[in-house]
Each structure stands twice: as C-alpha cells, then as structure tokens.
Amino acid sequence: MSSFTCLNCGVRFATAEMQREHYKTHWHRYNLKRKLAELPPVSVEEFEKRVIQQKSDDAAAQQDQSLYCKACRKVFKSKNAHDNHLDSRKHQDNLKRYLEQARHQESAAAGAASSSVAMDAEIEVTVKSTRAAERAAAAAEEEEAQEEDMEDVDSDEWEDVEFDNPIERNGCIFCPHESEDLLSNIKHMSVKHSFFIPDAEYCVDVEGLLAYLAEKVCRDYICLWCNERGRTFYSVDAVRNHMTEKGHCKMLHEGAALAEYVDFFDYSTSYPDHEEGMDVDAELETPQAIDGDEYQLVLPSGNVIGHRSLLRYYKQRINPNRAVVVKKSTQKLHKVLAQYRSLGWTSTQQEAAARNARDMHVMKRQQAKLMQQVGVKANKLQQHYRPQVNF
C-alpha cells in the first residue's frame, strides 16, 4: 500500500516524485481554492470538463467583442453582417459623431486638469501666506514671552534686593525679637538660642556672616545645621520651629561646609610660619592619595578625607577636640568673645586652628581645580579641524 497521498484531492501515488509533481498541477491548486471556500473537491475528469467549458466561454466572449460596434452600439451575429455594417452610411455618420464626442471629452478633461493645477497653485500660495502669518505671530508671541521672562527676572532680582534682612534691623535669626544693636542681638541669640560663631576670633566679617545666615533661614528657608540635607520648609516659621525644637540653632562648620563660609574667616594669622606681608594664597603641594588608591586623601594637617563609601568606618573614630588661639581683635569682636567666655567658652590651641586653616585652603584650591576640569570637559574643546557637514 502506497504511503504517498494527497488528502486534498483524495489520490495516492507510488513515489514521492509523483506526489511532488501533483502538487504543481492546476487541479491540485483548484481543489485548494475550493477547500478555502469550504467546497468539496472535484475529480480530475470533472476538472478537465470545467477547463474545456471555460475555454469555450472565453472564446465566445472574445468573438462577441469583435462583432460589436462602439459607435452604433450594436452586436452582430456573423462577421459578414458586421462587415456590411461598417460600409454603411449610417455607421459613417455615427462614427463621426462618436469621434467628435471623444475629442470634446478629452479637451474637457485637459481643461479640468489645468483648472485643478491652477487651483492647487492658488491653494499653495494661500497655505504659504498662512504659514508665514503663523510664523510671524509665533515670533511675536515668543518676543512677548521673553519680555515677560525678563520682567519676571528683573522683578525677582528686585525682590532679592528688597529682601528685609533681620540683621539690618538688629533682629534675631531664630525668632522675631529685635535688639538695640548688633552686640545685644548676638548676646540674645547666644543666651536664648545657644548660638555661637565658631572660631569667632578668626571671623573678619561678623555682620556679613550673620546677614548671610539670616538670608539662608529667612529667605531660602534652610536649616543652618541640616544645610539642605534634611526636610524642605516653605515658611520662615516652619524652619525656625524646626531649628528651635531640634536644637539646630548652630552653624555646620566642619567638613565640606567649611568652603561655604571661607569668605568670612581668615586663618592666616594662625599659621606657625606666618609673617607680615606673606602671600596666604601661595601654591601648596597637592596632597597625594595614600595606599595607591583613590579612597583617601591626606591634608597637610594630617587629617584624612575618605570616600563616602567608607563613611560607616570613619564614623567609628572619635574626632579630636578642636582648639583656637585668641588674637587681638576689634572692640566689637572682643566684647563678643568676652560674652562667650562668660557663658563657659574656652579658647582652643593654635595648632588646631592652623590645621583648620590649612585644610580650608587646600579644600578651596581643590574645589577650584575640579571646577576648572569640569568646565574644560563641558566645553568639549576641539583639538583639530573637522568640517561640519549636515548629513
């Protein structure tokens, strides 16, 4: 029994070659189309009969088409009748009228095409003018928006200038209290809120420092101790209540925060080799990384700055007590220091102050160097010529 069959046509084959040849026949394709139309297959004899019938129908249709007169719209049963009709006078008259109608139709079509082209051109001109008007309106709107933005910026700058700093009217940073003068105000903040200026003997601009702190608290709503690391506040009362309740009425003057207040302090007099007229901004030797890695940096004072990934280990070490040396200061600053001493403040050692000064100086120079590197990298300086081509 043969195993080569065609389930679609219901036939069997002796070899695989015969089966493949069957798949190429019109009979198999015809049965496939009938299967898609959900019709039963036909046998090969029935398929041949249908092919013969289709060929005869096509021949008859072609013959009928050849015996048809388009001008007179008539069909003739024989060729002789068709030939006699072509020689008749009536056919000649109908043929002339048919040709004239065809010419009129062609001219009308050409006129319609030309009118459509003209209409398209007019529409294109209208669209272009509309787009130009839209672009002009958009440009005018952009100019107005830029003017409004400039006005907003100017108004913002004016608001910054008109900011009511409480220090200017001898007001407290942490409460609405107002004092008679600056010294009374500092005394109030020290007694009432336990606020002290760190390294006060090296502060060269006490009033400027207090004004800057007041701007952070009263204008930017930033806690002096959290320093943008904590929660966000939206009013002066909120940040003042937070600082009072959490005991944050103090300056964060250690670590990276030293660079923020560098303009208000001068530690040059605490240098062991300090001399009159020496350049405090002279070049210092850049500290190198130790242990051959980039996780630690040694400052001139011997302090180690570590990577933040090692924070959990550095927290286990106890920081040494800092000390400063009292120097000759102005009368106003001397009164502030006297007030601090009466509240239990003790002077610190000169070596610790020198270490702080050198650390701050090194950090400032390192920050400037890194900012320069970032700026150069961001500018994408081009070292060679390359033609700019718009592809």
Side-chain angles (χ1 to χ4, degrees):
M1 184 175 180
S2 177
S3 60
F4 302 101
T5 60
C6 177
L7 299 178
N8 189 31
C9 300
V11 293
R12 297 179 181 275
F13 306 96
T15 60
E17 184 67 25
M18 295 176 63
Q19 185 185 27
R20 286 192 291 269
E21 292 294 332
H22 167 73
Y23 288 154
K24 299 178 183 180
T25 60
H26 295 285
W27 174 39
H28 178 74
R29 295 174 182 174
Y30 181 72
N31 283 333
L32 284 178
K33 294 180 180 179
R34 289 180 63 85
K35 183 178 180 181
L36 294 176
E38 298 181 356
L39 297 175
V42 297
S43 61
V44 63
E45 294 82 4
E46 181 67 21
F47 175 71
E48 290 179 354
K49 291 180 181 180
R50 295 189 179 187
V51 170
I52 295 172
Q53 182 66 28
Q54 184 66 29
K55 288 182 179 180
S56 62
D57 294 341
D58 293 342
Q62 186 176 4
Q63 185 177 3
D64 293 339
Q65 184 69 19
S66 62
L67 299 178
Y68 177 75
C69 179
K70 294 182 179 180
C72 301
R73 298 180 181 179
K74 290 184 179 181
V75 179
F76 302 92
K77 296 182 179 180
S78 63
K79 186 177 181 181
N80 293 330
H82 183 262
D83 294 338
N84 294 330
H85 170 73
L86 294 178
D87 296 334
S88 64
R89 185 177 182 85
K90 185 177 181 180
H91 171 73
Q92 297 295 334
D93 297 335
N94 292 335
L95 182 61
K96 290 180 181 179
R97 287 194 295 270
Y98 178 79
L99 294 177
E100 289 178 359
Q101 291 178 359
R103 293 193 190 96
H104 287 306
Q105 290 178 358
E106 290 178 358
S107 61
S114 61
S115 62
S116 63
V117 171
M119 185 178 296
D120 293 341
E122 184 177 358
I123 292 173
E124 184 176 0
V125 172
T126 305
V127 169
K128 289 183 178 179
S129 61
T130 305
R131 290 179 179 175
E134 291 178 355
R135 286 196 295 269
E141 291 179 358
E142 289 181 359
E143 291 180 358
E144 293 179 358
Q146 290 179 358
E147 291 178 358
E148 292 179 357
D149 294 340
M150 292 177 63
E151 291 178 358
D152 294 340
V153 171
D154 295 339
S155 62
D156 294 340
E157 294 178 354
W158 182 256
E159 289 177 359
D160 292 341
V161 174
E162 293 296 331
F163 168 69
D164 186 13
N165 197 316
I167 298 299
E168 296 179 357
R169 47 185 171 82
N170 298 323
C172 179
I173 300 176
F174 311 104
C175 68
H177 176 76
E178 294 185 2
S179 304
E180 296 179 356
D181 53 10
L182 181 61
L183 293 177
S184 301
N185 190 19
I186 295 175
K187 181 179 179 180
H188 163 76
M189 289 188 291
S190 301
V191 176
K192 184 68 176 179
H193 305 287
S194 301
F195 172 75
F196 293 90
I197 299 176
D199 298 340
E201 60 275 16
Y202 296 105
C203 182
V204 294
D205 188 4
V206 177
E207 187 174 359
L209 176 62
L210 294 177
Y212 176 72
L213 297 178
E215 288 182 0
K216 289 186 64 175
V217 175
C218 301
R219 186 189 65 181
D220 301 332
Y221 311 142
I222 298 175
C223 175
L224 298 181
W225 184 255
C226 297
N227 203 18
E228 298 182 354
R229 295 178 303 175
R231 52 183 293 191
T232 304
F233 304 97
Y234 300 97
S235 65
V236 180
D237 296 335
V239 67
R240 282 177 173 176
N241 292 336
H242 164 78
M243 297 175 67
T244 304
E245 294 175 359
K246 296 293 184 179
H248 287 181
C249 298
K250 53 186 176 180
M251 289 175 53
L252 181 62
H253 196 253
E254 58 184 13
L258 291 173
E260 182 179 359
Y261 307 106
V262 68
D263 296 333
F264 304 103
F265 292 88
D266 182 13
Y267 292 93
S268 60
T269 56
S270 64
Y271 295 167
D273 54 349
H274 175 71
E275 297 179 359
E276 294 294 336
M278 68 177 298
D279 186 9
V280 295
D281 294 330
E283 290 288 340
L284 296 178
E285 183 179 357
T286 304
Q288 302 294 332
I290 63 175
D291 297 335
D293 55 18
E294 298 180 356
Y295 286 93
Q296 290 181 336
L297 185 68
V298 181
L299 298 177
S301 62
N303 294 334
V304 178
I305 298 178
H307 194 268
R308 59 183 177 183
S309 62
L310 306 177
L311 179 62
R312 58 181 298 182
Y313 303 105
Y314 287 107
K315 281 187 175 180
Q316 299 174 2
R317 302 182 61 182
I318 301 176
N319 294 329
N321 295 326
R322 296 186 302 168
V324 294
V325 178
V326 180
K327 69 164 189 176
K328 295 181 180 180
S329 60
T330 60
Q331 183 179 3
K332 183 183 297 185
L333 184 59
H334 183 70
K335 292 181 180 180
V336 174
L337 295 177
Q339 180 66 28
Y340 284 179
R341 292 192 190 95
S342 65
L343 296 174
W345 176 80
T346 58
S347 60
T348 55
Q349 299 178 359
Q350 183 176 1
E351 296 180 357
R355 287 198 300 268
N356 288 339
R358 289 186 178 274
D359 291 351
M360 184 179 295
H361 186 63
V362 170
M363 291 177 63
K364 185 177 180 181
R365 296 192 63 83
Q366 286 291 103
Q367 183 181 8
K369 183 178 179 181
L370 292 176
M371 291 298 294
Q372 182 181 6
Q373 292 177 356
V374 172
V376 171
K377 185 176 180 181
N379 287 335
K380 297 180 180 179
L381 300 179
Q382 189 171 350
Q383 301 295 335
H384 57 85
Y385 173 75
R386 179 181 179 184
Q388 303 296 326
V389 181
N390 294 326
F391 294 100

